[in-house]
Amino acid sequence: VAAIRLRHTKKYWRDTIQGYLFIGPVVLGLLIWTFGPMIASLVLSFTDYPLLKSPKWIGLQNYIDIFTRNDELRAVQSLQVTATYAVLALPLGVVLALLVAVLLNQKLRGMAGFRTAFYLPTIIPAVASAFMWSWLLQPDFGILNSILKELGVANPPRWMAEPESSLLTLVLISGWGVGGSMIIFLAGLQSIPDVLYEAAKIDGANDWQMFWRITLPQLSPTIFFIIVTGMIGALQYFSTAYLMTGGTGGPLFSTYFYNLNLYDKAFKWLFMGLASAMAWVLFLIIFVLTLIIFRSSDAWVYYEVQR
Amino acid sequence: MSIASQTSDRPSPPPARIDPEEVAASHARRKLRENLRKTILYGVLLLGAVVFMCPLYWMVTTSLKTNAEAYLFPPTLFPQLLQFNNYPDAWNYEGMQFPRWTLHTIFITLSVMVGVLLTSSLCAYGFARISFPGKRFWFFATLASVMLPAQVTLIPLYIVFFKIGWLDTFNPLIIPAWFGGGALNIFLLRQFFMGIPAELEDAALIDGAGRFRIWWSIFLPLSVPSILTIAIFTFQGVWNDFYGPLVFLSSPDNYTLALGMNLFKGLYGTQTQYLMAMSTLMTIPMIILFFVAQRYFIRGIVLTGINR
């Protein structure tokens, strides 16, 4: 018995050492690149720290400034821009992706080609697609306004060139990238058991009823997932707005997203303390919203009872 | 998840009394309705596909026009004369360093890919196949780190990189990828490794092979499809990345392709044909990759549920 126990402990220790050797990279990575910096940025958020000087403890002042000194910092304004974008782009993305996925789930010849066409935009580099859209939507020479003028529209929208339309333009452009969510919906649609539809047909249900009573409930876990990841993505929106406005978030700060603002504060002005506080505000907003969506999911996400 | 499993036309229960004429009429009606449905569906899909593809068409055709033709009103739907020399002209544009920036991008992309594949598969093996205290904690911590916005960790890292002289070098873009290579990749590979039969491993252990050897010569060869999926997504992510290089690289000599194009647009924004040529060039590797490895793309999205 003693010998067995000895061997057991030997194996136990060998496995522990080997286990940590194997997961060593990610353990070190989490400590060096995640936990360490997280604590550091939380501490920094309570300091005034222009990069080239030393940090000075100022307590909650950064957080107070974020919410009260909107004239200089534009933090609240950029938060509003981001929230508006998320509120418009997220539902548009979900509905459009679902609609396209349902259409692409029909059994027809040539469907693979259609799927490729709708997915392809998502693999285009952000830089290329931003410049492409800038060119397409150029208000005076762009192809879209040329077409609109040919069709007799006297004053077509000036897209990114006017504060009234610029944010909506970015929302529309985001619709071009629904391919990713579409593929996830498609996989979800294909995992719905046929039996359900067959049973409904025997009971005399039409397509519309089957969509509302079977497809949507069965798809609700997928919808839930898309909403969570889409929300997180929308609140961190950056590249397209930066590239299309030359980093200004213009015109008149109408597309000055929160992350654009944070980028300016951190890497242009080197206000490391303030920028850290802004990052933590963003993190808290994402965290709370994620929590709310998770809590609400009991009411509307349908899970198959585990058998 | 195969599409073929869904059949919409199941035979309906046979009617009690069979009247051949009525059956024929109902068949014809149903066929008509079915054809109408198909036509409408094709119409909608075709319209959608054209709307989705038109921007790319316009990018490519603009890249083959002269500058004057690009700004012509009304625009020409196809270039009057295909200006293929736009491509070498843009590539060698004076004051720009597109060849150099492309090399940088390739170097960073490959370095990150090697780091991601090696370390994510090592970690995945540890999580999937060895039991040791603390495993659940570290696995949970790995997954939870996905929720954290990059900006939270970015600022302290920037300060540290500033102090140790890593700013304006490729280190901040490459080195972190060698520490586990991303939570989702570890998760994906772990799921796959857990499905590999234990007998294979036990046999090798009895033969005296070490864990490292088992990881290298049993697990890696068996998981080629998953590894390819991760390789492709990593390639796509790094090749397209704009934010990382924007934060960490500052002098044009060290730019990547994405930053270089942004610089070009800032300086020569009206040379639209060249800008579109470079945009097309930057897109081509992604398109080729997509068509060569389409099923790994789809697989990756479906398995991780993330469109990266």
Side-chain angles (χ1 to χ4, degrees):
Chain A
V1 175
I4 290 172
R5 181 181 279 165
L6 190 70
R7 223 173 36 228
H8 176 83
T9 29
K10 226 175 172 176
K11 178 175 160 36
Y12 173 84
W13 285 112
R14 203 186 52 216
D15 276 1
T16 302
I17 291 168
Q18 287 188 338
Y20 275 97
L21 281 177
F22 271 97
I23 68 161
V26 78
V27 169
L28 280 178
L30 284 172
L31 294 174
I32 301 173
W33 312 116
T34 308
F35 296 152
M38 239 179 113
I39 296 165
S41 96
L42 186 61
V43 173
L44 283 179
S45 75
F46 298 111
T47 66
D48 179 27
Y49 186 13
L51 185 59
L52 302 173
K53 296 183 191 150
S54 37
K56 202 174 77 198
W57 187 268
I58 54 168
L60 284 173
Q61 195 57 50
N62 284 327
Y63 291 94
I64 296 168
D65 287 351
I66 286 172
F67 290 104
T68 52
R69 287 175 54 201
N70 191 44
D71 289 348
E72 303 121 276
L73 302 178
R74 298 185 186 279
V76 174
Q77 185 184 1
S78 61
L79 212 49
Q80 281 165 347
V81 169
T82 306
T84 312
Y85 173 81
V87 165
L88 295 174
L90 198 53
L92 174 82
V94 173
V95 172
L96 197 63
L98 184 56
L99 185 77
V100 175
V102 168
L103 290 180
L104 289 177
N105 195 36
Q106 311 293 317
K107 293 174 63 59
L108 282 183
R109 208 170 304 161
M111 216 35 121
F114 284 122
R115 284 182 194 165
T116 304
F118 283 102
Y119 181 69
L120 214 54
T122 63
I123 63 167
I124 310 298
V127 179
S129 88
F131 294 166
M132 182 193 78
W133 281 110
S134 292
W135 172 233
L136 257 72
L137 300 175
Q138 211 282 343
D140 302 311
F141 312 99
I143 178 71
L144 191 58
N145 276 4
S146 300
I147 293 173
L148 288 178
K149 278 178 203 158
E150 292 280 296
L151 291 175
V153 180
N155 292 308
R158 297 186 61 77
W159 309 110
M160 290 301 287
E162 263 176 7
E164 290 78 19
S165 54
S166 54
L167 192 57
L168 268 176
T169 305
L170 289 176
V171 171
L172 288 179
I173 291 175
S174 80
W176 191 59
V178 294
S181 321
M182 181 271 288
I183 294 276
I184 300 176
F185 274 133
L186 206 51
L189 284 172
Q190 285 166 10
S191 65
I192 300 177
D194 286 343
V195 200
L196 298 178
Y197 293 106
E198 284 157 19
K201 256 185 216 163
I202 291 170
D203 290 346
N206 62 30
D207 284 354
W208 190 245
Q209 288 168 324
M210 286 195 281
F211 177 77
W212 285 100
R213 301 277 170 80
I214 299 174
T215 310
L216 267 191
Q218 289 282 319
L219 221 49
S220 57
T222 314
I223 298 174
F224 170 73
F225 180 82
I226 302 268
I227 289 179
V228 172
T229 52
M231 183 270 295
I232 294 176
L235 291 179
Q236 298 188 62
Y237 189 81
F238 178 85
S239 292
T240 307
Y242 184 97
L243 286 159
M244 290 187 76
T245 65
T248 64
L252 293 174
F253 297 99
S254 58
T255 60
Y256 199 48
F257 281 80
Y258 193 74
N259 254 353
L260 245 66
N261 193 348
L262 204 162
Y263 173 86
D264 280 351
K265 297 296 181 292
F267 307 115
K268 230 184 209 166
W269 304 105
L270 305 176
F271 294 155
M272 293 309 176
L274 178 69
S276 295
M278 285 182 70
W280 272 89
V281 169
L282 179 65
F283 179 39
L284 289 179
I285 291 174
I286 289 177
F287 190 78
V288 169
L289 286 178
T290 310
L291 219 58
I292 292 175
I293 301 177
F294 264 87
R295 281 282 157 81
S296 80
S297 69
D298 285 345
W300 62 274
V301 177
Y302 171 84
Y303 289 106
E304 199 86 42
V305 178
Q306 293 290 321
R307 269 165 291 189
Chain B
M1 57 196 58
S2 106
I3 326 135
S5 63
Q6 193 167 324
T7 38
S8 47
D9 275 16
R10 284 293 159 99
S12 42
R17 190 175 50 87
I18 298 166
D19 175 356
E21 264 180 46
E22 198 176 299
V23 170
S26 114
H27 265 237
R29 269 200 309 273
R30 197 190 308 158
K31 198 155 189 202
L32 189 71
R33 213 171 40 217
E34 188 57 27
N35 279 342
L36 192 69
R37 199 180 77 93
K38 267 189 189 171
T39 313
I40 292 175
L41 193 61
Y42 268 123
V44 172
L45 282 176
L46 207 61
L47 186 72
V50 166
V51 168
F52 269 61
M53 286 297 100
C54 263
L56 291 175
Y57 172 82
W58 200 244
M59 172 172 90
V60 175
T61 48
T62 305
S63 79
L64 294 167
K65 290 176 178 177
T66 62
N67 187 264
E69 193 189 349
Y71 285 92
L72 209 61
F73 185 87
T76 49
L77 288 182
F78 196 78
Q80 290 154 342
L81 193 63
L82 292 172
Q83 306 289 326
F84 285 111
N85 60 318
N86 280 347
Y87 281 79
D89 287 355
W91 183 250
N92 299 314
Y93 202 88
E94 202 177 337
M96 297 290 113
Q97 308 179 65
F98 284 113
R100 184 188 173 110
W101 295 333
T102 307
L103 279 180
H104 289 170
T105 309
I106 293 172
F107 174 74
I108 295 170
T109 307
L110 292 181
S111 311
V112 169
M113 273 170 80
V114 174
V116 166
L117 292 178
L118 278 180
T119 59
S120 68
S121 61
L122 275 174
C123 296
Y125 178 86
F127 282 128
R129 281 320 177 89
I130 309 177
S131 53
F132 54 89
K135 183 166 92 168
R136 286 166 66 93
F137 168 79
W138 286 110
F139 188 64
F140 180 76
T142 305
L143 287 187
S145 69
V146 174
M147 257 219 324
L148 197 70
Q151 286 74 21
V152 171
T153 54
L154 200 60
I155 290 158
L157 289 177
Y158 184 87
I159 297 169
V160 172
F161 293 151
F162 168 72
K163 305 261 189 208
I164 62 176
W166 277 16
L167 289 188
D168 210 15
T169 75
F170 300 151
N171 289 348
L173 301 172
I174 295 172
I175 310 273
W178 284 73
F179 288 80
L184 289 169
N185 296 330
I186 294 178
F187 181 71
L188 183 89
L189 275 176
R190 172 187 171 265
Q191 296 302 92
F192 188 82
F193 286 172
M194 301 224 312
I196 293 178
E199 290 80 23
L200 270 177
E201 200 175 5
D202 293 342
L205 277 170
I206 288 165
D207 288 348
R211 297 254 185 214
F212 193 75
R213 181 76 191 286
I214 291 172
W215 162 76
W216 178 259
S217 45
I218 297 180
F219 279 71
L220 287 191
L222 280 177
S223 47
V224 167
S226 302
I227 290 191
L228 276 179
T229 301
I230 295 175
I232 286 166
F233 274 109
T234 308
F235 182 90
Q236 189 190 8
V238 184
W239 184 266
N240 296 353
D241 187 23
F242 177 69
Y243 193 69
L246 181 71
V247 167
F248 291 119
L249 303 178
S250 48
S251 54
D253 280 348
N254 295 331
Y255 273 9
T256 61
L257 200 46
L259 286 184
M261 283 178 53
N262 190 41
L263 179 71
F264 182 81
K265 172 150 197 262
L267 293 175
Y268 310 103
T270 53
Q271 298 283 13
T272 303
Q273 76 283 18
Y274 294 147
L275 199 62
M276 292 301 114
M278 287 314 300
S279 295
T280 308
L281 266 187
M282 191 178 178
T283 304
I284 285 173
M286 300 315 310
I287 304 259
I288 292 174
L289 190 70
F290 175 74
F291 280 106
V292 169
Q294 196 165 359
R295 65 200 179 94
Y296 298 113
F297 262 93
I298 306 300
R299 193 188 139 88
I301 298 173
V302 172
L303 284 183
T304 62
I306 300 274
N307 172 42
R308 293 181 267 193

